[in-house]
Amino acid sequence: MENVKEKDYGQDQWISLPDYMKDPGPANYYHGTLRYSKKKNSWIIKGEPYVCQMAKRLFPGSKGARRGSARFTANKRTIGDLNWLMLRYPLEIKSPRKWQEAIAEARDYVLDRERNIKNPLKVDAPDLFFEGRLMEFQKEGLGYLLQNNRVLLADEMGLGKTVQALAWLAETKRYPLLLVVPAHLVKNWEREIMRFLNVPGPNGSIEKPDLHIIQGLKPYDLPSAHIYIIHYLLLRGWKEYLPQAGFGSVIFDEIQELRHSGTEKYSSASLLADSCDYVIGLSGTPIYNSGGEIWNVMNILDYHCLGDWESFTREWCYGYRSRLVKDPKLLGEYLRREGLIFRRTKEKVLKELPPKRRLVQEIDADAGVYDELMESTMEKVLLLDSTETTLDKRRLQDQIAQEERQATGIAKAPYVGHFVKALLEADEKVLLFAHHHKVMDIYKKELKKFSPVFITGRENQKQKDASLKAFMEGKTNICVISLRSAAGLNLQRASCVVFGELDWSPAVHSQAEDRAHRIGQRDSLLCYYLVSSKGSDQDMQEALGLKVSQFVNMMGDSFESEEDRLLAQSAAQDHILRVINRLRLKAGLPALEQEPRAEQGLDEDFD
């Protein structure tokens, strides 16, 4: 066996090259020829019938225009088997330069795979180009991405797949890169890119990357940028353009969006992936229903890495064209061993995780709905100048603030629903907190198929007890709770807490979190704060200190004190002034000079 030194990642190790990867060398007799087709990205064997028959068995999905030939997709796994075939049946290589490139890449891949099994590579992100700190398991994830150019990072939700992908980009600088994401995550990716990434600038400077969000179904000339973002719903319109745009790398976030073939979206993604040298998929839940969905997902990442559909179903499933995988565990082990999937669960890395992980996630809001709801609020702003008594002015100011807060919640409620659906489909157990009944009504509609239960001001004690019991006994995985109705509840079964609306008091959020995070809990609790750029969220973020996507020690971990209440009230009153002045300026009125002070009504549920 040959000893070949593996690629240098900072560790000086030697690994034996397997026999099947050794050079076949010259032969006295050739059983056929081997050449590469650039147009089809495939290898073509022309030769004696038994050689072509062997090749078609070895490479499922092989095509043959006529007898005596076999054509199959070129990838680094194909090359290893093809080299093994030539050790038994030597072939005359008609594309020697391409073959040398391919066999060298395949040998590197095999050596990296073998080394990674024995001693997983850990790589820290470069300080100059990545503004963050990776946990040890995230360094291992980065090492894995660096060793595999077509791979699915399938870490469980909340373990930082986005951060690891951005660390990979900071390390490789493979620009221009295209990001394909769900529509509701476009803004979150934009914010995370600007938070974590830097790029080389002129004269050795360090700058923030240029970013372009692709808009509309009709293609246009894209401006120069480092990173482009498009959401899945637009892919079909850009089907012909993107594969020709010169992207060397593409990242598919929530790649389970491509678990169904036969659509324009899937076809567009497939053509795009084929045009790129580096393809990364991100998803904690690549399979929703039948195990056969994984074939569609993996086929995007690495074409025919599991053979064609017919051979996959025949060998891995319960029969020809069956979608049910016979042994999912065995298939998963194969995908991991082949360097196609990398996955860690919370249980596996729990020692590295804090008891609570708090993340702020920016989501979309319906601007049209928000503006429509604020029309009646504008009328109240106009009434302020003609209102005489201080008490009436305060009541009017409180109403303005409450209506804007409710408008914010309603405008983003459908997007909150989409976010929570993704958690529930990943089998998370979710507590969803909100403030307004009208917002919760939208949640009820959006999450109907998950049978949500409610603990709010609308239910009597018997109904609340029934909701708690249904959640804790596993009859439903979603419980919607009023922000200030959580005291005393024990909902320890929850794995995620989601704030669809915010409160002015940090302690209220902490109390809500603690409905799930109780003494004796052995898991790490993931708490999402969903915010939008419209309405009251920005001021509330500022008041709560939610200035970055992951924050620590910013929330009060105790019951709300009188000081907490007064500070929250002060922040709310400052917000009222900003809201009123913003609306007054829109109406052509001068801004108020005196800061209004409301004394009551800030925490009433406005319905």
Side-chain angles (χ1 to χ4, degrees), residues 34-82:
L34 175 71
R35 69 179 178 85
Y36 175 73
S37 171
K38 183 177 181 181
K39 183 177 180 181
K40 298 288 187 179
N41 186 32
S42 59
W43 290 99
I44 301 172
I45 293 176
K46 291 184 179 180
E48 298 168 358
Y50 55 88
V51 176
C52 295
Q53 184 181 11
M54 175 69 76
K56 289 176 181 178
R57 288 204 303 266
L58 192 59
F59 307 112
S62 294
K63 309 296 181 183
R66 63 177 184 269
R67 295 178 63 183
S69 70
R71 174 169 56 83
F72 42 89
T73 303
N75 59 48
K76 51 184 175 287
R77 279 165 293 280
T78 300
I79 294 301
D81 292 336
L82 181 55

Side-chain angles (χ1 to χ4, degrees), residues 211-228:
L211 179 65
H212 178 72
I213 311 297
I214 297 176
Q215 305 287 341
L217 286 169
K218 186 176 181 179
Y220 53 86
D221 290 336
L222 294 175
S224 176
H226 294 95
I227 302 172
Y228 301 80

Side-chain angles (χ1 to χ4, degrees), residues 346-358:
K346 285 187 291 186
E347 287 74 18
K348 186 174 181 180
V349 299
L350 195 57
K351 291 181 180 179
E352 294 187 46
L353 299 177
K356 290 182 186 178
R357 290 168 289 153
R358 293 166 170 143

